[in-house]
Amino acid sequence: MELTEQLNFDHEDRRDIYEYVESQGTVRADQARRALNLGPEAFGHHLTILRRDGYIRRDGNHLSVAYQDEDVEEHDTDDLVYTIRAAEQRDLSGLVGVIRQVAREGTYIEAETVADLLDHEEVILRHTETRSRMVFVACVDDEVVGWVHLDLPEMEKLEHTAVLTVGLLPEYRGHGIGTALLDRGFRWACEHGFEKLYNSVPATNEDAISFLEAHGWETEAVREDHYKIEGEYVDEVMLATFLDCDARL
């Protein structure tokens, strides 16, 4: 199932099963059935239809949302090998840890928000009728070292836009990983019909602003004294980029 696909259920029990599985990330089938108070026959019937229609994936006794598989990209630089792939539920603790470590630098408020949300919901990828998100991770020896996160609005008037955050552990900077993550997020957005990306950072985060500007982002607005960091008022710089999808696909 495409992450941007419109959800369409013709039975309330199937909607309930999907929403329960989606909210859990991964869940045992018997646990889902009991939580929804459905009989084995009815649950099995609805689950079969959800699997047939590409909404739910079953692996043994575990259920998860059947998101479309994304390619795993391997990058081999002179001194480092890393992969970029769609985040999986098993990455949750490592991903949150990396985001929090980057956010502790004190200049990436949006990253703190993403980490808090993931930590609270305990689900990485999301696709409901009201909210969706996509996350790619950069891994070295299968350990998460960076991420790119796309928050996808469901409002019709904003459905051509997405909010992107990207970050990387300090010790892995300088190898092109941040650029590769940003490019992966760009290409995914293009492949799914998005036209414009946004990001907001404190004005004190000069490295992030320079990084984004070097990749074609421009400042659209500045909100004065929007943050208060360590007792000091700091402006918020709101950056955006229109996607040149023909050049990326």
Side-chain angles (χ1 to χ4, degrees), residues 99-110:
I99 297 176
R100 290 205 185 283
Q101 185 171 336
V102 172
R104 276 199 295 271
E105 297 175 15
T107 55
Y108 205 168
I109 310 303
E110 289 293 330

Side-chain angles (χ1 to χ4, degrees), residues 81-146:
V81 176
Y82 64 93
T83 59
I84 293 179
R85 58 172 173 79
E88 302 173 2
Q89 193 61 27
R90 63 186 174 91
D91 298 316
L92 180 61
S93 60
L95 174 60
V96 171
V98 167
I99 297 176
R100 290 205 185 283
Q101 185 171 336
V102 172
R104 276 199 295 271
E105 297 175 15
T107 55
Y108 205 168
I109 310 303
E110 289 293 330
E112 291 183 37
T113 302
V114 171
D116 289 344
L117 191 62
L118 291 171
D119 207 14
H120 172 71
E121 295 182 344
E122 298 184 334
V123 177
I124 293 184
L125 304 185
R126 299 228 59 178
H127 182 33
T128 70
E129 293 177 334
T130 58
R131 64 186 309 175
S132 298
R133 63 171 172 256
M134 183 65 193
V135 185
F136 290 94
V137 290
C139 298
V140 175
D141 296 327
D142 210 30
E143 294 293 326
V144 177
V145 300

Side-chain angles (χ1 to χ4, degrees), residues 147-217:
W147 83 93
V148 59
H149 171 280
L150 294 118
D151 187 28
L152 315 173
E154 298 298 326
M155 290 179 58
E156 183 178 354
K157 293 180 176 62
L158 291 173
E159 63 183 5
H160 65 294
T161 71
V163 179
L164 179 147
T165 58
V166 60
L168 185 67
L169 292 177
E171 59 266 36
Y172 290 98
R173 295 170 189 170
H175 299 280
I177 303 177
T179 296
L181 279 166
L182 189 63
D183 186 63
R184 189 67 190 91
F186 275 18
R187 284 186 284 113
W188 188 92
C190 283
E191 289 163 1
H192 292 81
F194 292 92
E195 301 171 21
K196 190 176 185 181
L197 300 177
Y198 291 92
N199 195 346
S200 295
V201 297
T204 50
N205 194 343
E206 296 177 356
D207 288 343
I209 294 171
S210 296
F211 174 75
L212 292 172
E213 287 179 340
H215 290 84
W217 294 61

